[in-house]
Amino acid sequence: SLDEVRALADLAGRLGNGHVDLTRRANLQIRGLEEEALSELQAELGRLGLVDSDAESEAVRNVMVAPLAGIGSGVRRVAMAVEALLASDRRLLDLPTKFGLSIDDGGPVSIAGERADICLRAVGNDFVVGLDSREGTRWLGACAPNAAVNVVSTAMHAFLDCAPHRRLRDLPEVDQVRVRAAVSPLLSELPFFERTGGRVLGLVQGAVGIAAPFGRLEAIHLHQLADFAAMAGADEMRLSPWRTVYVTVRNAAAGRALLDGAEAMGLIVRDDDPVLRIEACPGAPDCTSSSVDARGDARRLATLASSQGFMGSIHVSGCAKGCARSAPSDLVLVGEAGRYQLMHHATTRGPAERLVDADDLASVFLETPHG
């Protein structure tokens, strides 16, 4: 709710360093927390009802829901039932902490393309079911809404019956076959459905989408955004896996006013904003592992890329850990002793082609990419 958003912004400013990050798992992170402030933060989050009763339950409650799925909809009811399952079935506490489930409504802001161990997607009156594999989501069949929780439970228990692994896609093929064999008898034939979706900014189906550059919001801006949302007729703010928030609005005029206010704060409200093609970690001075201002340099790269007509993906990392993105990017810069290692079509651990000074970033667009 917007009241919870304001409370979190206040806590981030009072107990953290004022930085609030939106993550690719549709989570919100309060940054810069000192250890002595942890107990107070946990108590305040408990008062708001935003944490589980124990750390073990919190660790496995990784359920991501399409941001515009309606309150009281079948998607939300199934999500709540799955969370109740995770809280009541103590064996499921043995699931790896990154084991996750997505539940999609098939609407204009679909999360069905986001990777999760178990995927449910509303198609007509049923849910189609997908399990993750090395090649991506493998859609198996469909089930009725009242059968979805049993399907999810069966898949999770079948996974736990295999040798321990971090994710479903990490299982050997023989174990993946075992999990699919446990689930498939519970499903009917797979129907056709459009496999499109993803982030949409601006006005969209009675709501607006607003992105934070590199996923970072300041506490004061989060508070202001909640105030703008209230003026637009909203009572809640929904997170998404694209470091984007969605807010339902009274009408198109209210939505445009909210977008204007967000843009004035430096947030992103258009799908063609060049910053959206760049992933960047906080960099120096926020991270002691970094010797470069990764996000400041990434903003300059966005402007340079736009002026040069470069349309590929870019990853700017303060160090080789690559915290902001694990997948390959078309252009990669990795900080090293105040400069950047340059790579193409790689992750941060790929072979460096040359070093680039921070004041010479334009040169990365003046050469033929390797590979």
Side-chain angles (χ1 to χ4, degrees), residues 204-260:
V204 51
Q205 201 180 63
V208 299
I210 299 168
F214 316 119
R216 169 63 55 84
L217 283 165
E218 302 303 324
I220 187 172
H221 290 155
L222 183 59
H223 207 297
Q224 290 173 347
L225 189 60
D227 291 341
F228 283 135
M231 288 188 285
D235 57 12
E236 65 179 13
M237 188 180 297
R238 302 185 186 181
L239 304 179
S240 78
W242 310 294
R243 296 171 177 167
T244 298
V245 297
Y246 289 89
V247 178
T248 55
V249 293
R250 185 186 310 110
N251 51 43
R256 283 190 288 271
L258 172 55
L259 292 170
D260 289 343

Side-chain angles (χ1 to χ4, degrees), residues 141-164:
C143 69
N146 60 7
V149 174
N150 182 46
V151 171
V152 169
S153 176
T154 300
M156 289 178 171
H157 278 277
F159 171 82
L160 289 172
D161 288 339
C162 301

Side-chain angles (χ1 to χ4, degrees), residues 1-61:
S1 71
L2 295 185
D3 285 342
E4 291 166 342
V5 170
R6 294 186 184 97
L8 289 171
D10 291 341
L11 289 170
R14 183 165 61 85
L15 301 178
N17 60 10
H19 298 327
V20 179
D21 283 352
L22 307 177
T23 78
R24 286 197 170 277
R25 299 177 71 191
N27 287 332
L28 182 150
Q29 294 180 340
I30 291 176
R31 310 293 297 187
L33 188 73
E34 297 289 345
E35 187 173 356
E36 55 267 24
L38 179 59
S39 59
E40 181 179 355
L41 177 65
Q42 288 176 326
E44 290 297 316
L45 294 177
R47 183 181 62 80
L48 293 168
L50 295 178
V51 291
D52 287 296
S53 58
D54 58 82
E56 292 77 19
S57 298
E58 186 86 33
V60 299
R61 190 169 54 80

Side-chain angles (χ1 to χ4, degrees), residues 225-297:
L225 189 60
D227 291 341
F228 283 135
M231 288 188 285
D235 57 12
E236 65 179 13
M237 188 180 297
R238 302 185 186 181
L239 304 179
S240 78
W242 310 294
R243 296 171 177 167
T244 298
V245 297
Y246 289 89
V247 178
T248 55
V249 293
R250 185 186 310 110
N251 51 43
R256 283 190 288 271
L258 172 55
L259 292 170
D260 289 343
E263 189 170 30
M265 287 192 292
L267 303 181
I268 302 172
V269 300
R270 297 189 309 277
D271 288 310
D272 61 354
D273 193 305
V275 172
L276 293 172
R277 295 199 303 277
I278 301 184
E279 301 284 357
C281 67
D286 291 345
C287 178
T288 56
S289 297
S290 176
S291 61
V292 291
D293 178 11
R295 285 184 174 161
D297 291 336

Side-chain angles (χ1 to χ4, degrees), residues 104-108 110-113 121-124 128 139 190-198:
D104 188 59
D105 64 346
S110 169
I111 62 170
R121 189 182 194 274
V123 176
V128 295
W139 298 98
L190 180 68
F192 172 81
F193 63 98
E194 294 286 347
R195 305 184 187 189
T196 58

